[in-house]
Amino acid sequence: MSKVFIGTGRRKSSVAQVKMTSGNGKITVNGVDVNEFMPYATYVMDLKQPLVATNNENAFDIEVKVTGGGASGQTGAIRLGITRALLEYDKANEANEDSYRKILKKAGLVTRDSRAKERKKPGLKAARRAPQFSKR
């Protein structure tokens, strides 16, 4: 049995648990192929960014469990989960010049995107949207 590398990613209100094992590049999201699960091909390209940056598109089989949010948030969560699993895989090589951490950090994939929907305030229609002003 090959070693399993685990990474958890979060984005907006989505949470993704990623299990990465050595294989041939098959990505499964909630038991379905990634191309069937994601509504657009650009989302699939987006979540594969960490694998492309580290030249591992066909090196690992990835199994993802994702909950909450919409397609965009889930894509971001999966991407961060894959990044963290890759960092777990490359832990021993961290100090080297060609470490995955340096490559992924430069591409901006290691940092969690903390932007989320702002809460609605009392007396307003949305977070900042005020009711229409009427002079008379």
Side-chain angles (χ1 to χ4, degrees), residues 10-110:
R10 293 181 187 86
R11 168 83 171 94
K12 293 186 178 184
S13 60
S14 302
V15 180
Q17 295 164 312
V18 176
K19 286 182 185 175
M20 196 171 75
T21 54
S22 57
N24 52 10
K26 189 169 162 255
I27 301 175
T28 314
V29 182
N30 291 351
V32 184
D33 182 62
V34 70
N35 296 307
E36 289 176 40
F37 186 84
M38 288 294 163
Y40 306 111
T42 50
Y43 286 159
V44 177
M45 280 174 24
D46 194 29
L47 69 82
K48 285 183 178 178
Q49 273 184 328
L51 298 168
V52 173
T54 56
N55 239 10
N56 284 316
E57 294 113 307
N58 300 320
F60 298 104
D61 281 345
I62 297 171
E63 199 177 304
V64 183
K65 258 195 262 176
V66 66
T67 56
S72 175
Q74 288 184 349
T75 302
I78 294 168
R79 186 173 71 176
L80 183 60
I82 291 172
T83 300
R84 287 182 173 168
L86 281 168
L87 293 177
E88 191 73 28
Y89 166 75
D90 196 48
K91 218 171 206 165
N93 196 22
E94 225 167 79
N96 293 3
E97 198 59 43
D98 60 340
S99 74
Y100 286 175
R101 181 164 202 85
K102 286 195 172 91
I103 296 165
L104 294 167
K105 186 81 176 163
K106 194 173 182 187
L109 299 170
V110 177

Side-chain angles (χ1 to χ4, degrees), residues 11-14 69 112-121 125-128:
R11 168 83 171 94
K12 293 186 178 184
S13 60
S14 302
R112 186 230 199 263
D113 190 345
S114 62
R115 294 175 297 167
K117 193 166 187 139
E118 191 176 334
R119 81 173 193 86
K120 182 189 175 300
K121 316 296 187 309
K125 287 178 175 266
R128 298 177 190 218

